[in-house]
Amino acid sequence: METVPHAVDPNRAAQHGSVVMRLLDEIFPLVEGFYVDLHKNPELSHSEHRTASGVAEWLTRTGYEVHKGVGGTGVVGVLRNGPGPTVMLRADMDALPLEERTGLPYASTAHATDGEGKEVPVMHACGHDAHTACLVGAADLLSETREEWAGTVMVVAQPAEETLDGAQAMLDDGLYERFGRPDVILGQHLGPQPAGLISHRAGVILGAADSYRVRIFGEGGHASQPHTTIDPVLVAAHIVTRLQGVVSREISPSEMAVLTVGRIQAGTKANIIPDEAYLEVNTRALNDNVARQLEAAIERIVRAEAAASGATREPEIERFEGAGITVNDPTSTAEVAAAHHAYFGDDYVIHLPDPFPGTEDFSCFGLPGDPQPIPYVFWFVGATPHDVWEAAPGDTPYEKMGNVPSNHSPFFAPSREPTLRAGLAAITVAALSYLGSERSAQPAPTPGAASMGGAYQEHPYDGGPEPVGDPFPVHDAPPPAGDPVGASDDSYGPPPAGPRQSADPYGPPPGEPAHPSGYGPVPGEAAPGDSYDEPAGSHGPPKGEPYAPRAEGGAPQEANDAYDSAFLASSWPEPGQEDPAKSTHDADMDAVIGAQDEELREEWRGEKAEESTLSADMAAILDDDPQGPPPQGPPHGQPSGPAFGGPPPRGDAHQAPPPGPDDDLPDSEYRL
């Protein structure tokens, strides 16, 4: 790659995104159903066979060239659409060995065998189910609107992110040699901020992490005769104590560093001094030099303490897991963030002032050691239900984010619909920032026209300073033989290819052909009830000055506290109190999807769900749970106040369908 692709004008990208996202309401029930299925059926790192088959099946049916088994269980889909840049969209698929305690009707009860042969519970506690659902949804949207863009989309569903080796495994398996080297890489991650909020940061956004295994060898014996032994437990205790002084006494106060001994094991019985002790140590840093300094300190202290205790055998120290810092390309970050601002509106996009020491292996795809690394942009999508956010203790977003269930918590329960809608829009608009085709562009935006944002825009831009935000935590076998692309014995993913039944509210009317995928409109034709005619003035920058991209580096021109954002600071309006300055684009979207929403609500009220396979399946998952309705309060021990029961907050632009009679029905927040 000799040059970095230049993004289209952010307002132009938002215009393309607006047209593409008109299909969102048509495919959203499928994306939502796929997400629920993945959440109920999580798989551990390197074992994502079922998930990978679902992704491959979806991509195959929507027209991608699909390859399975890349780097183990990874999936790659390629869609070529004329000359233009190659844009890679990445999501991770694996889950965590954790018991879910959210109380959701689709909570995971899965168990699996981990790498050590132990049976463990499994949960999607880090949002990878949402990442994957948004990835296939965005791929579908782009496939069905090829007239709006030009270039190549490269979809990568990555295994084993939680073990920080899945990205490198795909690269080692010839990812770029086999499928082409991308010009820019885009990825996103759920976080604990309010559902639907998009957070960017140029430069370092995530830290480096390394994990080490340490084995101390002693000489065992009877507990009554310690003088005849070399006690490895005592050696391990000294190591743990001394390691705690590394950060405070060896690392500059101007640098961030964390050193944690997360595991220690020794012995089998109180009256036996064991032969050896085992430790696992984890480090975090925002600087590669600091990471190496921590590693050197661990090795020095472990060996010195063993020698000081008279150990006759050298300890073993092994780095078994790790990934470097994630450094967003400043120019690309500014371009994607500008497109997000133009589409969502300023209240829904913030800029993080500081990086976070959580770690991802996403940065591996950028080839950090290559003479010509590939630019990438990684951002966050808020997932905390709005009622949970409002009820969480704290006067500022910084305090609230420490009091809501976050990634890797057994209570992590994203607000399903607003999170998925925001994630779908964010990654699609980001892709269109580079793929947007001038050949199909709408007329230039009218000065003073309303912001973009579709169903997401509610607070109009007031000309004030741009809000900023703060960081939030994230975490840190080949497929079965003979498993063809798309083959699966499980009931999940898109419905079978072919025309839908006329009872399906998302399919074509009787007598009209269906999209080849089986769930979209015929290429080149509008969906029933849809219109691609834009009303005058429906696109453009926020009110006032035309939108100008940020200076290189992506930092806001005027720094301001995150809680100056209307999205973060205040309660969402009650029904009937919404902002009257609704954009003309919103009005157009209402006209497009209003009839569909009303038809869907009537379907539920008229008990016609059984006529639609999709609706019946979602009803079985969400409403007919044998355990009964979800709890109307927080699960026992949940750390952050009321969260997972009760209706969603009314009047928020991110919650859909809009407030109506269904809000008074039991479990309405789980209905389609």
Side-chain angles (χ1 to χ4, degrees):
M1 182 192 69
E2 298 181 356
T3 60
V4 176
H6 182 68
V8 301
D9 176 81
N11 290 306
R12 187 63 52 80
Q15 291 170 20
H16 290 297
S18 173
V19 176
V20 171
M21 296 306 288
R22 286 190 178 191
L23 295 178
L24 174 62
D25 283 270
E26 181 175 333
I27 74 163
F28 184 78
L30 300 172
V31 173
E32 185 179 41
F34 192 48
Y35 163 77
V36 168
D37 180 86
L38 294 179
H39 192 88
K40 286 172 64 72
N41 298 280
E43 295 174 300
L44 292 176
S45 304
H46 301 289
S47 300
E48 310 91 341
H49 301 292
R50 183 180 187 275
T51 304
S53 290
V55 171
E57 181 178 356
W58 191 304
L59 294 178
T60 299
R61 289 180 175 178
T62 197
Y64 283 72
E65 170 195 319
V66 178
H67 303 267
K68 292 176 63 177
V70 182
T73 53
V75 180
V76 177
V78 180
L79 183 64
R80 297 177 177 86
N81 190 33
T86 296
V87 178
M88 175 175 151
L89 310 180
R90 174 268 194 181
D92 36 19
M93 300 186 292
D94 52 334
L96 287 160
L98 192 66
E99 183 175 3
E100 182 163 356
R101 299 173 63 190
T102 62
L104 293 170
Y106 50 93
S108 168
T109 58
H111 284 72
T113 303
D114 67 8
E116 297 181 355
K118 297 183 298 184
E119 183 177 327
V120 294
V122 188
M123 173 192 176
H124 268 299
C126 205
H128 296 190
D129 46 355
H131 304 167
T132 302
C134 289
L135 180 74
V136 297
D140 198 327
L141 289 171
L142 291 169
S143 176
E144 295 188 20
T145 56
R146 300 184 202 187
E147 70 281 358
E148 289 298 318
W149 57 275
T152 298
V153 177
M154 181 177 177
V155 174
V156 173
Q158 178 204 316
E161 188 281 328
E162 295 293 354
T163 53
L164 298 178
D165 59 353
Q168 190 61 50
M170 296 190 79
L171 291 170
D172 292 343
D173 199 15
L175 176 67
Y176 295 157
E177 293 80 7
R178 294 165 61 185
F179 312 114
R181 178 179 169 128
D183 295 303
V184 66
I185 307 170
L186 306 173
Q188 59 187 5
H189 202 293
L190 298 195
Q193 291 168 321
L197 186 68
I198 309 298
S199 302
H200 281 282
R201 190 179 197 277
V204 178
I205 188 170
L206 291 173
D210 294 286
S211 295
Y212 304 87
R213 295 188 180 102
V214 176
R215 197 173 297 277
I216 306 298
F217 300 100
E219 294 180 12
H222 200 285
S224 66
Q225 296 181 305
H227 61 288
T228 65
T229 71
I230 296 175
D231 190 350
V233 176
L234 183 61
V235 178
H238 284 306
I239 290 172
V240 172
T241 301
R242 185 169 289 278
L243 286 177
Q244 303 313 304
V246 171
V247 172
S248 65
R249 290 297 176 265
E250 299 187 30
I251 306 299
S252 169
S254 64
E255 298 282 1
M256 192 288 300
V258 177
L259 192 157
T260 300
V261 179
R263 183 178 181 184
I264 182 168
Q265 289 180 259
T268 59
K269 202 170 186 292
N271 64 348
I272 301 175
I273 294 175
D275 288 326
E276 62 182 62
Y278 176 79
L279 301 87
E280 289 187 0
V281 185
N282 180 261
T283 65
R284 307 279 171 155
L286 297 176
N287 181 304
D288 285 333
N289 292 330
V290 172
R292 301 288 73 79
Q293 188 177 353
L294 292 171
E295 182 177 66
I298 291 170
E299 182 160 350
R300 183 190 76 241
I301 289 172
V302 168
R303 297 192 185 283
E305 288 294 346
S309 297
T312 58
R313 180 178 171 184
E314 281 286 308
E316 295 177 355
I317 306 169
E318 174 195 5
R319 177 182 177 272
F320 69 94
E321 199 173 85
I325 56 177
T326 301
V327 187
N328 278 333
D329 177 69
T331 300
S332 302
T333 301
E335 292 169 340
V336 172
H340 283 165
H341 273 278
Y343 182 83
F344 289 100
D346 287 352
D347 282 333
Y348 296 92
V349 182
I350 65 171
H351 292 260
L352 303 173
D354 299 304
F356 184 77
T359 303
E360 261 266 2
D361 66 351
F362 173 80
S363 61
C364 293
F365 290 117
L367 306 178
D370 194 271
Q372 291 184 311
I374 303 172
Y376 57 77
V377 185
F378 192 75
W379 64 90
F380 297 99
V381 179
T384 299
H386 296 164
D387 57 342
V388 179
W389 179 265
E390 293 291 354
D395 297 325
T396 71
Y398 306 96
E399 296 171 345
K400 283 181 174 290
M401 280 192 290
N403 290 292
V404 299
S406 185
N407 307 73
H408 289 218
S409 164
F411 301 103
F412 184 65
S415 184
R416 189 177 70 249
E417 182 162 356
T419 301
L420 291 175
R421 285 180 176 269
L424 266 170
I427 197 165
T428 303
V429 171
L432 291 169
S433 298
Y434 296 95
L435 297 168
S437 171
E438 300 294 328
R439 70 190 179 205
S440 60
Q442 300 289 334
T446 303
S451 300
M452 304 302 297
Y456 299 93
Q457 180 69 16
E458 182 172 20
H459 303 286
Y461 179 71
D462 58 6
E466 184 179 298
V468 298
D470 55 323
F472 51 89
V474 297
H475 55 81
D476 0 300
D483 183 14
V485 172
S488 173
D489 294 331
D490 300 300
S491 176
Y492 63 97
R500 288 172 170 266
Q501 299 298 320
S502 60
D504 190 343
Y506 297 96
E512 293 192 17
H515 187 278
S517 68
Y519 53 92
V522 177
E525 296 185 11
D530 204 352
S531 170
Y532 287 94
D533 295 330
E534 293 294 326
S538 65
H539 302 299
K543 295 180 179 179
E545 295 291 327
Y547 191 90
R550 281 175 189 69
E552 183 170 333
Q557 296 176 1
E558 294 186 42
N560 192 20
D561 287 339
Y563 41 88
D564 284 344
S565 166
F567 190 88
L568 283 171
S570 62
S571 299
W572 288 269
E574 292 297 324
Q577 298 180 354
E578 292 83 359
D579 197 314
K582 191 176 183 181
S583 72
T584 54
H585 179 69
D586 288 342
D588 180 56
M589 288 297 290
D590 288 344
V592 173
I593 69 174
Q596 293 181 352
D597 284 346
E598 182 58 32
E599 180 180 352
L600 189 57
R601 288 195 296 272
E602 288 295 335
E603 178 188 8
W604 282 104
R605 286 195 287 266
E607 299 181 350
K608 296 188 295 183
E610 64 275 13
E611 297 179 17
S612 165
T613 303
L614 172 67
S615 298
D617 180 61
M618 287 296 291
I621 292 173
L622 301 181
D623 291 327
D624 297 337
D625 188 86
Q627 303 299 322
Q632 295 302 305
H636 179 68
Q638 185 258 345
S640 67
F644 305 101
R650 301 188 180 190
D652 177 58
H654 290 259
Q655 294 284 5
D662 283 349
D663 288 332
D664 295 326
L665 296 177
D667 306 332
S668 64
E669 69 271 34
Y670 296 117
R671 295 187 183 276
L672 288 178

